[in-house]
Amino acid sequence: MKPRYDLAVIGAGPAGVAGALTASFAGLDVVLIDAAPRPGGQYFRHLPQGFNAQAPGALHHGLDGFTRQWETLRARADVLLGHKVWAVERAEGTVTVRCLEGDREERPRTVTARGLLIATGAHDRPLPFPGWDLPGVLTAGGAQALLKGNLVVAGRKVVVAGTGPFLLPVAAGLAGAGADVRGVYEANGRLGLARHPLLAAGKAGEALGYGATLARHRVPYRGRHAVIAAHGEDALTHVTVARLDSAWRPVSTRTVECDTLAYGYGFVPQLELPVQLGCATRADADGSPVVTVDGGLRTSVPGVYAAGESTGVGGAVLAEVEGRIAGRSAAADLGRRVPPLPRLSRRRERLAAFAKALLEAYPVRPGWQGWLRDDTLVCRCEEVPLSAVREAQDLGATDARSVKLLARPGMGWCQGRMCGYAVACLAGEDPAAPRRPIAQPIRLGDLAAPTRSPLEG
Amino acid sequence: MNQPYDLVRARPEPEFEISVDGAPVPVIPGQTIGAALHGAGIRSWRTTRIGARPRGLFCGIGVCFDCLVTVNGSPSLRACLTEARPGDRVSTGARAGQDGPGGRPGDGGGHGTDGGKTVNGR
Ligand SMILES: Cc1cc2nc3c(=O)[nH]c(=O)nc-3n(C[C@H](O)[C@H](O)[C@H](O)COP(=O)(O)OP(=O)(O)OC[C@H]3O[C@@H](n4cnc5c(N)ncnc54)[C@H](O)[C@@H]3O)c2cc1C
Ligand code: FES
């Protein structure tokens, strides 16, 4: 069967849209697929039309540039929004992308192409701690998604905590939208980055902007502090904030009243689709598995490319640059004339070096494991407490996989997306790339005849 | 005044209502059920099957499955991803999503056949 498209792109974030547009300009017949009803991915998450926002750019740096790319792309390529990809296969030079269209009544839909660009981004990386499953405790990205995608401010009195530069836009966004942000608690040193020579890479301006917003709203920003427990009966009422030593062991604690906690300890790239295809992965600077790519963003599987957070967490600007490089490689590999553009590769190298420096400046230190109590849930879905993980280890489960088999963390709805990192740390290893034959949950009816084969294999 | 609306100079379309366990909750067209509930101060809408712990939004982007709801009889929908429609009947509490992966057929309140059975790839 002849594939319908030259290139299928999964993900309408900065990486996917730039990749699809570049490939289309280079002469490829392109289809772009995203599960979300609107384009933008995480960073450029769009508001629904229903808001008639006259100044949507107030919530994102650089929205105009993205919107121009999107409008241009829409005029020259097929765009399938609201399409969840649950499986991809490749045989005889054709990639088959299996989707479900719609958010309630789901219709199966299959797309075929000669090449595939995977730009599926990342999700937050939470750490477990006592009370992390109380209503009112959200991931930092979740709070950001409520604001950017729904104009809902996550809470009235909000604490922001975790590690990494992403805490700043989250806190600034909440404060600017009217929340009383009680504090930003950065578990690493807040000056870790300022000393880095690469700060000259141009990110300083944006960081200073967030800093100014926080200062204007009198939001304290403390390094070497973390939220180590959340409290409340049925919903969050206060958190325990600890000053930490360099290994993240609590030195002293105090209580901060709040109705909402937005927290995150970095991001986890979503790798189920590249893993399904057999793409090689590697451990990134922070130990997270990411897709291995060459300088042209080619994965180890011919005709399959990856860009954006899938190749390593680096933010929206790097994602866009990678998308452009990947789009060019896909076109070149299909015989289109694509003149070399060394400038673009140099830009990627600079941004990637900066991203690596960030990961190294904001590591997760082992002391967090001491914040857990025996009854602290490690896995939210299967409600597995720390004591059950320790019991499994006492029974001889020495690696994360055996812990999972014995104690069931990561065996529930989320398939370990929320607890996988923590379980790997507790087992003393780097997290493994996820093996999930179905990337998105699907209803049994949809697995009937036309889409049965991938499950049988 | 409403600061996030001022920030982006929103001129929202008229709200519509959905009912959550019989009580009306306002929605701006395009908002998800999860955002509308959270915005209305409803922070949890199901309890877990072992510890009966309350759960609502956590990841906000469809990866944690904490926010499961039953909508018009269809169980196990992720509230953070499901765009609200006028007149939606959302039921929470002990019913929605209590059954974990695999679902329990028929938990959908008489809505139909296998709507609630979900496979999660294990
Ligand atoms: C919740 C969240 C909020 C964030 N907010 C910000 C922010 O405000 N500022 C900031 O600087 N950074 C933010 N980030 C970091 C963000 O990862 C990067 O800034 C940037 O968006 C990465 O771009 P990308 O193109 O690689 O992926 P993304 O922008 O994440 O785009 C990936 C796209 O792929 C789609 N997708 C994934 N899997 C599938 C599938 N199986 N089928 C179909 N479609 C799929 C998703 O719907 C998404 O639209 C956020 C991250 C998260 C997780
Ligand atoms: S809040 Fe995580 S899936 Fe909806």
Side-chain angles (χ1 to χ4, degrees):
Chain A
M1 188 184 68
K2 196 173 158 337
R4 164 75 181 77
Y5 296 97
D6 292 326
L7 182 70
V9 181
I10 307 176
V17 168
L21 184 61
T22 306
S24 159
F25 278 145
L28 298 191
D29 187 9
V30 176
V31 59
L32 177 72
I33 306 166
D34 197 297
R38 291 176 293 281
Q42 301 303 348
Y43 185 85
F44 293 119
R45 181 179 289 275
H46 282 32
L47 281 170
Q49 291 266 275
F51 284 101
N52 291 312
Q54 309 299 306
L59 295 174
H60 331 59
H61 279 273
L63 181 63
D64 286 354
F66 179 84
T67 307
R68 267 199 308 278
Q69 291 182 50
W70 172 251
E71 294 300 337
T72 314
L73 178 68
R74 261 209 326 197
R76 17 185 335 130
D78 283 350
V79 168
L80 303 176
L81 293 173
H83 283 63
K84 294 179 273 217
V85 177
W86 60 275
V88 283
E89 302 137 52
R90 183 174 175 280
E92 289 153 28
T94 296
V95 176
T96 304
V97 182
R98 301 196 186 278
C99 322
L100 289 171
E101 181 186 359
D103 68 349
R104 305 190 193 187
E105 306 81 11
E106 295 172 330
R107 290 166 298 276
R109 183 146 178 183
T110 301
V111 171
T112 56
R114 296 169 73 191
L116 177 69
L117 168 54
I118 298 171
T120 46
H123 59 71
D124 281 273
R125 185 165 71 184
L127 290 177
F129 64 90
W132 71 307
D133 62 327
L134 269 177
V137 178
L138 297 173
T139 63
Q144 192 77 332
L146 272 177
L147 182 62
K148 283 185 171 180
N150 293 276
L151 278 194
V152 168
V153 185
R156 284 200 188 86
K157 286 188 277 180
V158 188
V159 165
V160 177
T163 193
F166 181 50
L167 302 183
L168 291 176
V170 172
L174 287 164
D180 171 10
V181 180
R182 312 303 303 272
V184 180
Y185 300 104
E186 163 61 63
N188 283 295
R190 48 171 284 194
L191 293 176
L193 187 65
R195 284 197 298 268
H196 202 283
L198 280 168
L199 200 62
K203 270 274 173 183
E206 199 182 317
L208 288 177
Y210 297 133
T213 305
L214 294 182
R216 192 163 62 246
H217 291 277
R218 298 183 199 291
V219 175
Y221 175 37
R222 308 231 180 285
R224 284 276 159 76
H225 277 73
V227 169
I228 61 163
H231 313 276
E233 273 298 312
D234 292 329
L236 182 67
T237 52
H238 57 290
V239 293
T240 302
V241 172
R243 197 158 66 79
L244 305 175
D245 70 11
S246 58
W248 289 14
R249 284 174 302 233
V251 176
S252 59
T253 63
R254 65 197 159 92
T255 298
V256 177
E257 249 183 76
C258 58
D259 55 42
T260 302
L261 168 65
Y263 87 109
Y265 286 87
F267 294 100
V268 178
Q270 312 212 75
L271 295 195
E272 29 286 282
L273 298 178
V275 169
Q276 282 179 8
L277 288 166
C279 298
T281 60
R282 64 178 178 90
D284 206 1
D286 66 344
S288 262
V290 297
V291 181
T292 310
V293 285
D294 71 6
L297 282 305
R298 295 174 187 86
T299 71
S300 63
V301 176
V304 179
Y305 310 81
E309 309 289 57
S310 322
T311 72
V313 170
V317 178
L318 177 59
E320 183 192 331
V321 169
E322 289 197 346
R324 287 173 60 194
I325 297 175
R328 295 169 61 85
S329 298
D333 295 349
L334 287 174
R336 303 301 191 280
R337 280 163 58 90
V338 183
L341 201 55
R343 202 162 29 89
L344 201 56
S345 300
R346 281 200 300 274
R347 180 124 195 267
R348 171 176 179 236
E349 277 158 30
R350 255 196 333 269
L351 289 165
F354 182 65
K356 181 159 175 282
L358 282 179
L359 288 179
E360 282 162 356
Y362 296 98
V364 172
R365 307 264 181 206
W368 68 267
Q369 297 181 24
W371 309 344
L372 275 51
R373 297 188 312 240
D374 279 352
D375 64 350
T376 303
L377 295 186
V378 171
C379 164
R380 306 164 67 89
C381 304
E382 293 293 289
E383 299 174 77
V384 181
L386 177 67
S387 57
V389 171
R390 295 299 185 215
E391 252 165 54
Q393 288 175 312
D394 290 344
L395 289 172
T398 49
D399 61 329
R401 211 182 125 71
S402 322
V403 169
K404 188 169 157 182
L405 289 173
L406 276 178
R408 301 188 54 77
M411 302 282 264
W413 273 110
C414 92
Q415 296 263 287
R417 288 176 174 91
M418 293 293 104
C419 69
Y421 177 76
V423 172
C425 291
L426 290 169
E429 13 174 299
D430 273 350
R435 299 207 171 276
R436 300 185 185 112
I438 300 180
Q440 292 269 325
I442 57 180
R443 288 168 188 244
L444 279 184
D446 299 322
L447 281 181
T451 49
R452 176 158 281 153
S453 51
L455 263 193
E456 290 170 349
Chain B
M1 73 156 221
N2 191 327
Q3 288 193 38
Y5 287 55
D6 295 346
L7 207 62
V8 296
R9 291 198 275 124
R11 295 196 214 123
E13 286 170 19
E15 292 171 348
F16 61 77
E17 274 180 5
I18 59 175
S19 86
V20 179
D21 294 334
V25 168
V27 181
I28 305 283
Q31 279 181 325
T32 64
I33 290 175
L37 265 60
H38 194 94
I42 303 170
R43 293 298 188 90
S44 64
W45 47 82
R46 74 171 180 108
T47 51
T48 59
R49 58 176 203 259
I50 300 167
R53 296 174 190 248
R55 293 280 171 86
L57 293 182
F58 180 60
C59 76
I61 61 163
V63 288
C64 77
F65 295 83
D66 262 351
C67 66
L68 298 176
V69 279
T70 297
V71 185
N72 303 333
S74 287
S76 308
L77 291 170
R78 283 169 282 178
C80 68
L81 296 185
T82 309
E83 198 172 300
R85 296 178 192 164
D88 272 345
R89 283 173 296 109
V90 177
S91 38
T92 75
R95 296 178 57 79
Q98 264 222 329
D99 39 1
R104 212 187 314 147
D107 198 24
H111 179 63
T113 53
D114 59 357
K117 276 235 182 186
T118 305
V119 193
N120 211 358
R122 284 182 299 148

